[in-house]
Amino acid sequence: ALVTGATAGLGQATAVRLAEAGTDVAILDLAEAGLAETAARIQALGSKALVLALDLSERANCRLAVERTVDSFGRLDALCNVAGVMLVGETTAYSDEDWDLTLAVNLTAPFVLARTAIPHLLEAKGAIVNVTSCATFQGQAYFAAYCATKAGLTNMTKALAMEFQHQPIRVNAVSPGGMMTGLTHSRVRISSGFG
């Protein structure tokens, strides 16, 4: 399996749970220290861990992650798009850079990862699981970019499920509510102008 956002929170829990089930896991995130911790937990369970310290906002890294996973494990059975960026800010003060980063990580990366992984997943009769959010269904003030990307990811998941409904692959989304994870505590930052 390939799990993004695997240094903490839901991404780490997903990677560890897959290892508990006997799965070898490629873990992808930016924070190398967090990746080392997740890798140690996976290895303690008797599974292999492939550490991929890559920036998902770069499309080439998404393709590289799938290629390295298949090269290391010989196959790919599951892609779990868990990584997310949540940058809060007033719309009129929201920077282009924050918008572009949120779109790149929350929507473009899952698409590029899926596009690259699907041939391998079809061969393995595997699955894609995209983590969206309750923000898909209800707008939240000061989170326009996050809400837009999560709604887009939900609808992209539906489109892929329809496209591949007669082929040996499952495509699903999970839309959790608010959770007290590292994302909400340490990765939410205030954009300039928001008080």
Side-chain angles (χ1 to χ4, degrees):
L2 171 57
V3 180
T4 69
T7 60
L10 189 56
Q12 184 181 63
T14 300
V16 170
R17 181 65 190 97
L18 286 165
E20 288 172 347
T23 304
D24 294 329
V25 188
I27 50 175
L28 193 159
D29 209 307
L30 273 176
E32 291 189 41
L35 285 171
E37 177 192 333
T38 304
R41 291 181 64 184
I42 290 168
Q43 291 162 345
L45 293 164
S47 292
K48 296 177 185 172
L50 172 65
V51 173
L52 300 169
L54 298 169
D55 181 354
L56 280 178
S57 68
E58 299 291 332
R59 294 179 189 188
N61 287 337
C62 298
R63 294 187 289 269
L64 178 62
V66 173
E67 291 165 7
R68 288 189 56 196
T69 301
V70 174
D71 287 346
S72 294
F73 297 148
R75 62 185 292 152
L76 180 62
D77 294 281
L79 168 63
C80 302
N81 287 308
V82 186
V85 170
M86 181 189 294
L87 304 177
V88 61
E90 289 180 331
T91 298
T92 55
Y94 211 79
S95 71
D96 288 347
E97 293 78 17
D98 285 354
W99 175 267
D100 291 345
L101 178 63
T102 303
L103 192 68
V105 174
N106 293 3
L107 188 56
T108 302
F111 175 78
V112 176
L113 284 160
R115 182 178 64 191
T116 308
I118 283 171
H120 304 287
L121 294 171
L122 287 169
E123 186 177 335
K125 300 181 181 178
I128 297 172
V129 178
N130 294 321
V131 175
T132 63
S133 168
C134 63
T136 292
F137 310 106
Q138 181 175 355
Q140 299 173 8
Y142 310 111
F143 287 96
Y146 180 77
C147 292
T149 57
K150 291 302 185 175
L153 183 57
T154 297
N155 218 28
M156 184 182 84
T157 303
K158 293 176 183 180
L160 291 174
M162 292 295 292
E163 181 177 348
F164 292 96
Q165 65 181 315
H166 299 298
Q167 297 187 56
I169 186 173
R170 296 177 314 283
V171 185
N172 294 289
V174 177
S175 299
M179 295 177 285
M180 290 298 181
T181 66
L183 179 64
T184 54
H185 281 289
S186 66
R187 294 188 183 171
V188 174
R189 67 176 170 78
I190 306 300
S191 293
S192 61
F194 180 76

